[in-house]
Amino acid sequence: SQSAPDARECEAFEIINAEIVRPMNLQNGNLFKAALVKLSERENFLLIVMHHITSDGWSVGLFWKEFSSFYKSFSEGNEPRLPELPIQFGDYAAWSRERLEK
């Protein structure tokens, strides 16, 4: 059976709840929030809140995949690396411009 939450866990949940209910303001660019709550010497809780306008299902999946990769690298003491993109945004923009000119 699980034990009752201790004071640190209760405080963490208060911080998390405060972040969740705090509104995001589209006018000032507050579209992404993160808070790291230290529960103990070895336990932390990471809260990430994204406004729905910043991402879709595909991009959230990609974010978590890359975030997990970086976390694993850092936790193992390695330099995080992402694979080279096969196409850069500048290439895509040039391709789009060429299509519009035809």
Side-chain angles (χ1 to χ4, degrees):
S1 79
Q2 287 187 326
S3 61
D6 66 15
R8 288 181 302 231
E9 290 173 327
C10 289
E11 184 180 354
F13 285 119
E14 287 177 19
I15 293 168
I16 292 163
N17 286 328
E19 284 300 318
I20 289 171
V21 299
R22 189 167 44 107
M24 293 184 170
N25 184 336
L26 294 175
Q27 292 180 337
N28 71 6
N30 181 14
L31 304 175
F32 183 95
K33 299 185 282 186
L36 182 63
V37 180
K38 189 173 189 76
L39 297 174
S40 69
E41 190 61 37
R42 296 185 51 94
E43 284 186 298
N44 298 291
F45 185 91
L46 176 63
L47 171 70
I48 296 177
V49 181
M50 289 184 228
H51 192 283
H52 66 90
I53 200 169
T54 65
S55 58
D56 58 13
W58 179 84
S59 57
V60 167
L62 180 61
F63 172 82
W64 283 115
K65 180 181 173 188
E66 291 180 354
F67 183 87
S68 297
S69 173
F70 270 54
Y71 182 84
K72 184 175 189 283
S73 292
F74 280 124
S75 67
E76 294 172 348
N78 298 321
E79 180 77 23
R81 297 186 192 273
L82 294 175
E84 187 69 30
L85 295 174
I87 188 168
Q88 300 296 315
F89 181 75
D91 299 328
Y92 176 77
W95 173 79
S96 295
R97 191 173 317 124
E98 287 174 14
R99 287 203 55 177
L100 289 173
E101 291 173 356
K102 290 182 180 179

